[in-house]
């Protein structure tokens, strides 16, 4: 059994881009929101273990190594180290405080250093002990969720699953008042600090689904940094769903000619692209556009979410094109 706060992390590359995998990542943003190492340090620092009782280290000064032995299943052997005490030739053991044994079922600490056959039960702060036990219990749920995965999309697959055509589909993050975190296991207790926000576009792995979660990839549009991890399926929506909902809210069905007024495109000599609905996710796939000076018919209603509905008739072909454009790209007649 392992625990999130001392899992081995790594970052690997695919093509020329860095991929941060929130299950195995050394990126600070992808570390668990809950760090059981913090509560373990508090627990150790509150004990009357011999060196701690004499040196009175702060919790943040302590480091630790946890081992399990095959002949003592169910207990943890914890080496305590004070990382503030520097080793040198004259004191190579500086900072090494010894070993204690932790019993997860009771939350007790025992010192077996002097006589393993007659261990000494250590006193410790009850609240610190409970905090650590609670944190471990939640992490165990996360590890169990990982164990229950039949097809794990996070390991053992080369090339990356998202690089295989047809294995992933485009999704968007639903509107929410808060950031949507990634998870390092398909369980809502396993959030990490990496997150996406409203309308962010992600790729959802078609076969990477488990317990209401889907293994997802997000590419930052500015830095091109890739983050992969679990997202709840309930927070993801297709482009078609976004556009249908936006059109419905805008109320543009069954328009009449009397509802339209003439406007001129004035977009600082930049193309004014058309959208299928008043939402940035709904940019028309063929990237149709109008340009400065084009005369269009515009729906005579206030802008909706920063967009206006227009109808453009090509002066030569007489082809009619309808869609939504940024309201800032239109001027008075």
């Amino acid at each position: 059994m392992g625990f999130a706060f001392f899992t081995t992390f790594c970052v690997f590359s695919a093509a020329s881009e860095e991929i941060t995998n929130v299950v195995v990542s050394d990126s600070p943003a992808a570390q668990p929101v809950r760090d059981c190492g913090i509560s373990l340090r508090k627990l150790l620092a509150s004990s009357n273990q011999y060196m701690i009782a004499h040196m009175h280290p702060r919790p943040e000064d302590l480091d630790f190594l946890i081992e399990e032995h095959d002949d003592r299943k169910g207990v943890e052997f914890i080496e305590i180290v004070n990382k503030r005490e520097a080793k040198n030739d004259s004191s190579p053991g500086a900072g090494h405080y010894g070993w204690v044994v932790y019993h997860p079922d009771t939350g007790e600490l025992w010192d077996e250093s002097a006589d393993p056959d007659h261990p000494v039960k250590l006193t410790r702060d009850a609240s610190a002990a409970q905090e650590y036990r609670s944190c471990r219990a939640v992490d165990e749920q996360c590890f169990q969720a990982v164990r229950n995965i039949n097809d794990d999309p996070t390991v053992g697959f080369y090339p990356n699953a998202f690089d295989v055509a047809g294995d992933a589909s485009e999704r968007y993050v639903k509107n929410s008042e808060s950031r949507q975190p990634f998870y390092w296991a398909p369980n809502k207790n396993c959030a990490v600090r990496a997150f996406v926000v409203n309308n962010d576009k992600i790729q959802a792995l078609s076969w990477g689904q488990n317990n209401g979660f889907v293994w997802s990839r997000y590419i930052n549009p500015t830095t091109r940094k890739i983050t992969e991890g679990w997202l709840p399926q309930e927070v993801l929506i297709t482009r078609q769903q976004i556009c249908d909902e936006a059109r419905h809210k805008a109320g543009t069905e069954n328009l009449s000619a009397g509802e339209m007024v003439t406007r001129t495109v004035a977009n600082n000599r930049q193309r004014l692209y058309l959208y299928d609905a008043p939402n940035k996710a709904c940019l028309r796939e063929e990237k149709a556009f109008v340009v400065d000076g084009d005369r269009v018919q515009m729906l005579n209603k206030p802008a909706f979410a920063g967009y206006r509905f227009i109808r453009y008739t090509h002066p030569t072909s007489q082809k009619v094109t309808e869609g939504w454009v940024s309201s800032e790209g239109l001027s008075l007649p």
Side-chain angles (χ1 to χ4, degrees):
M1 177 178 174
F3 302 98
F5 51 85
F6 66 94
T7 301
T8 301
F9 297 94
C10 65
V11 168
F12 60 96
S13 294
S16 60
E17 296 174 312
E18 178 184 275
I19 298 178
T20 296
N21 178 315
V22 301
V23 173
V24 283
S25 173
D26 62 2
S27 168
Q31 300 304 309
V33 171
R34 177 194 61 261
D35 183 358
C36 293
I38 295 174
S39 54
L40 177 56
R41 291 181 177 91
K42 291 179 182 177
L43 172 61
L44 296 174
S46 73
S47 75
N48 65 333
Q49 190 263 356
Y50 179 81
M51 289 297 294
I52 289 177
H54 283 75
M55 302 301 293
H56 305 291
R58 300 176 302 171
E60 57 268 28
D61 292 340
L62 298 180
D63 208 346
F64 55 84
L65 173 68
I66 299 178
E67 292 183 358
E68 292 186 343
H69 297 174
D70 291 339
D71 58 344
R72 300 266 311 266
K73 295 289 187 181
V75 299
E76 298 169 358
F77 295 83
I78 304 175
E79 180 184 20
I80 307 173
V81 176
N82 188 330
K83 57 189 177 184
R84 297 295 183 186
E85 297 182 17
K87 298 179 181 180
N88 52 53
D89 292 339
S90 60
S91 56
H96 184 267
Y97 282 8
W99 293 77
V100 296
V101 179
Y102 177 74
H103 292 254
D105 55 342
T106 63
E108 295 174 350
L109 285 172
W110 293 77
D111 191 345
E112 299 181 358
S113 302
D115 186 353
D117 294 327
H118 298 88
V120 176
K121 183 179 179 180
L122 300 175
T123 61
R124 77 286 186 276
D125 181 78
S127 62
Q130 183 56 45
E131 180 182 335
Y132 179 54
R133 291 183 73 188
S134 298
C135 190
R136 289 184 75 263
V138 173
D139 265 5
E140 174 55 26
Q141 295 179 31
C142 300
F143 280 101
Q144 187 58 53
V146 173
R147 297 186 196 106
N148 291 340
I149 299 173
N150 293 323
D151 294 317
D152 186 352
T154 69
V155 295
F157 193 97
Y158 185 84
N160 186 282
F162 290 102
D163 297 330
V164 178
D167 272 11
S169 57
E170 188 176 277
R171 293 289 186 273
Y172 290 82
V173 179
K174 285 184 180 179
N175 285 334
S176 171
E177 294 181 358
S178 59
R179 296 171 173 177
Q180 171 56 54
F182 278 94
Y183 296 81
W184 66 270
N187 183 299
K188 288 193 175 179
N189 287 320
C190 312
V192 299
R193 292 181 175 86
F195 62 89
V196 284
V197 297
N198 294 345
N199 291 324
D200 274 348
K201 181 169 67 175
I202 64 103
Q203 292 291 315
L205 193 61
S206 59
W207 53 268
Q209 302 179 27
N210 188 277
N211 194 35
F213 287 75
V214 59
W215 186 255
S216 305
R217 166 184 277 199
Y218 170 68
I219 303 177
N220 186 295
T222 303
T223 66
R224 308 306 299 171
K225 179 181 178 182
I226 298 173
T227 302
E228 294 180 4
W230 295 99
L231 289 174
Q233 289 177 306
E234 65 193 37
V235 307
L236 301 178
I237 190 171
T238 65
R239 177 184 182 276
Q240 187 64 48
Q241 289 172 313
I242 288 178
C243 299
D244 288 347
E245 181 180 351
R247 280 192 296 269
H248 176 72
K249 289 182 177 179
T252 53
E253 292 85 1
N254 304 316
L255 297 177
S256 66
E259 297 179 87
M260 310 294 283
V261 295
T262 301
R263 290 292 183 266
T264 302
V265 176
N267 198 42
N268 297 318
R269 299 183 180 180
Q270 301 295 316
R271 295 175 174 179
L272 186 61
Y273 287 100
L274 276 77
Y275 292 73
D276 290 325
N279 187 292
K280 69 176 183 179
C282 304
L283 178 65
R284 193 156 293 176
E285 292 183 357
E286 69 273 20
K287 293 189 176 180
F289 60 88
V290 287
V291 297
D292 282 4
D294 282 343
R295 300 283 281 177
V296 301
Q297 295 296 302
M298 182 192 80
L299 180 63
N300 191 22
K301 288 184 177 180
F304 182 88
Y307 294 84
R308 289 186 181 273
F309 182 80
I310 67 165
R311 181 179 293 143
Y312 172 66
T313 302
H314 193 279
T316 303
S317 68
Q318 296 301 300
K319 179 182 177 181
V320 177
T321 303
E322 295 183 339
W324 294 82
V325 298
S326 170
S327 60
E328 296 178 354
L330 300 174
S331 71
L332 295 175

